């Protein structure tokens, strides 16, 4: 497939639905061969990409398990070649007041939102560095700047992901690898729609752009960050939230 990512192999985590499926579809539209790593079945997303003329595979993978991530890396390499783009999108965002939070609740959030970034980067970075080109994008959240009650574990895990982004970017820049974060606002997905108290309209009213964000609002920013156009941009967090956070 032609496009500005033609010849690239991209891994997108948590792309069976929600924001991740839009990322996978867009990267495939731009010409990348896409591997989806998710616990859930992503066959529909792969099918949609193939129908549009793109190339994709879906691997069942628990991203909190380093052995499973290593096995997924081996399979991606065998079937699509060395991955040069890694989009760490999978995440959980339960709401729970701090005084009812157990350490297990805390660890569950960190194990995916933060620890899994360690596992995927450990697995996929060596191939990028060896090839002298790589793009890592960690999906964080605008909630780190606009905190509401009930998300101490979530915000802490996403702030850790931002710190990880900055520090890792510093270590790998010499090998042609950039590491950035992409921070959505409140995005309409099956998960947020199922939330009992998701206040789409109230949030939209606070944004500069007064409509509810959808996954496709993030795909242009992602494509830019993983393209050659963003070669001199690293260690940054790009917030795409309709101007809710004005920094
Ligand atoms: N939706 C929003 O409003 C919003 C806002 C800010 C940030 N974000 C961030 O964007 C990302 C995607 O959000 P979303 O709303 O699309 O989420 P989602 O719930 O729709 O999708 C998350 C995906 O991650 C997968 N997953 C969960 N645990 C996994 C595991 N252990 N191993 C592998 N896959 C696993 C799920 O199967 C699912 O497909 C998350 O990192 C989230 O924190 C979302």
């Amino acid at each position: 497939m032609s496009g500005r990512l033609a010849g690239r192999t991209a891994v997108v985590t948590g792309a069976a639905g929600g924001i991740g499926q839009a990322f996978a579809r867009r990267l495939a539209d731009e010409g990348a061969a896409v591997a989806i790593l998710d616990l859930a079945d992503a066959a529909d997303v792969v099918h949609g990409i193939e129908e549009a003329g793109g190339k994709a595979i879906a691997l069942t993978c628990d991203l909190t398990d380093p052995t499973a991530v290593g096995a997924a890396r081996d399979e991606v390499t065998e079937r699509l070649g060395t991955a040069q783009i890694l989009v760490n999108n999978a995440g959980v965002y339960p709401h729970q007041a701090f005084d009812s939070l157990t350490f297990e609740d805390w660890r569950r959030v960190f194990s995916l939102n933060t620890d899994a970034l360690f596992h995927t980067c450990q697995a996929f970075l060596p191939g990028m560095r060896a090839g002298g080109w790589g793009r890592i994008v960690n999906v964080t959240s605008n909630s780190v700047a606009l905190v509401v009650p009930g998300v101490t574990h979530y915000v802490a895990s996403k702030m850790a992901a931002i710190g990880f982004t900055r520090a890792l970017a510093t270590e790998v820049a010499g090998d042609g690898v950039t590491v950035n974060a992409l921070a959505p606002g409140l995005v309409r997905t099956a998960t947020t729609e199922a939330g009992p108290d998701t206040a789409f309209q109230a949030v939209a009213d606070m944004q500069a752009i007064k409509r509810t964000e959808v996954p496709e609002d993030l795909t242009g920013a992602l494509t830019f960050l993983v393209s050659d156009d963003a070669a001199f941009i690293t260690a940054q967090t790009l917030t795409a939230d309709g101007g809710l956070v004005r920094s």
Side-chain angles (χ1 to χ4, degrees):
M1 210 167 178
S2 62
R4 62 175 151 164
L5 301 179
R8 303 282 186 210
T9 294
V11 170
V12 186
T13 70
I19 296 169
Q21 59 77 31
F23 284 161
R25 290 178 205 274
R26 178 65 185 268
L27 296 185
D29 282 349
E30 299 283 348
V34 175
I36 296 171
L37 273 51
D38 201 308
L39 268 181
D41 181 12
D44 283 354
V45 182
V46 169
H47 188 62
I49 288 172
E50 287 173 345
E51 274 197 333
K55 187 168 184 181
I57 61 172
L59 306 183
T60 304
C61 177
D62 181 352
L63 295 155
T64 67
D65 174 359
T67 306
V69 172
R73 185 267 327 277
D74 292 346
E75 190 170 345
V76 171
T77 308
E78 189 185 317
R79 294 174 65 185
L80 299 180
T82 302
Q84 299 121 325
I85 296 169
L86 170 63
V87 184
N88 282 311
N89 165 76
V92 283
Y93 40 90
H95 279 232
Q96 199 174 336
F98 183 71
D99 54 11
S100 73
L101 209 57
T102 65
F103 185 59
E104 285 67 36
D105 298 326
W106 175 272
R107 282 301 315 150
R108 210 172 3 260
V109 168
F110 266 77
S111 68
L112 183 62
N113 294 5
T114 312
D115 299 351
L117 275 54
F118 172 81
H119 303 321
T120 56
C121 289
Q122 285 270 316
F124 289 103
L125 247 176
M128 296 182 195
R129 298 182 91 169
W133 194 98
R135 296 284 184 271
I136 297 172
V137 176
N138 299 319
V139 178
T140 59
S141 172
N142 74 343
S143 66
V144 302
L146 194 92
V147 178
V148 296
V151 287
T152 50
H153 47 350
Y154 179 67
V155 168
S157 72
K158 292 296 190 184
M159 278 304 271
I162 290 171
F164 175 74
T165 298
R166 292 176 184 167
L168 187 63
T170 307
E171 281 196 34
V172 300
D175 292 322
V177 180
T178 67
V179 189
N180 290 292
L182 178 56
L186 175 61
V187 182
R188 189 183 290 279
T189 65
T191 305
T192 53
E193 278 191 322
D197 52 3
T198 308
F200 289 112
Q201 193 55 52
V203 171
D205 287 345
M206 289 190 291
Q207 295 166 188
I209 301 169
K210 299 197 183 304
R211 65 165 174 79
T212 297
E213 185 168 8
V214 294
E216 288 69 24
D217 288 316
L218 294 154
T219 55
L222 175 75
T223 305
F224 169 65
L225 288 175
V226 303
S227 73
D228 282 323
D229 290 338
F232 206 60
I233 297 173
T234 198
Q236 304 303 306
T237 299
L238 176 54
T239 300
D241 69 352
L244 180 51
V245 173
R246 281 152 239 192
S247 56

